[in-house]
Amino acid sequence: MKTPPMPGWEPTTSREPVHIPTADGKGIAETIWVEVPAWKNQDGEIFLDAEALTKLDDVKARHLGLLTPAEIKA
């Protein structure tokens, strides 16, 4: 299990929206909901870490037909 970013935070998951833009970039063509790892503090607030943000970026890249940063690096 990962070490919490702050003492007392607990691992959880969060369902987050990924907005896929229209071809002209002026609107949202589709919204996809993705379950990502997250942290919950003592007040019940949910925080996303770098792993969650990377997953959200990867989902958006795949739906746009783009390479993910990890694929570009490889």
Side-chain angles (χ1 to χ4, degrees):
M1 181 158 67
K2 294 180 3 178
T3 303
M6 297 292 290
W9 286 20
E10 296 184 15
T12 188
T13 59
S14 180
R15 192 167 178 255
E16 297 292 324
V18 175
H19 303 294
I20 306 301
T22 57
D24 63 7
K26 295 181 179 180
I28 298 171
E30 176 180 12
T31 298
I32 300 161
W33 290 89
V34 181
E35 190 89 10
V36 294
W39 294 97
K40 182 168 53 172
N41 72 6
Q42 297 88 336
D43 296 328
E45 292 179 276
I46 302 294
F47 296 87
L48 304 181
D49 62 10
E51 177 185 352
L53 296 175
T54 297
K55 185 173 181 178
L56 294 172
D57 287 343
D58 288 353
V59 167
K60 190 174 208 173
R62 283 187 195 24
H63 277 80
L64 291 172
L66 303 172
L67 295 174
T68 66
E71 291 170 331
I72 292 170
K73 186 177 180 180

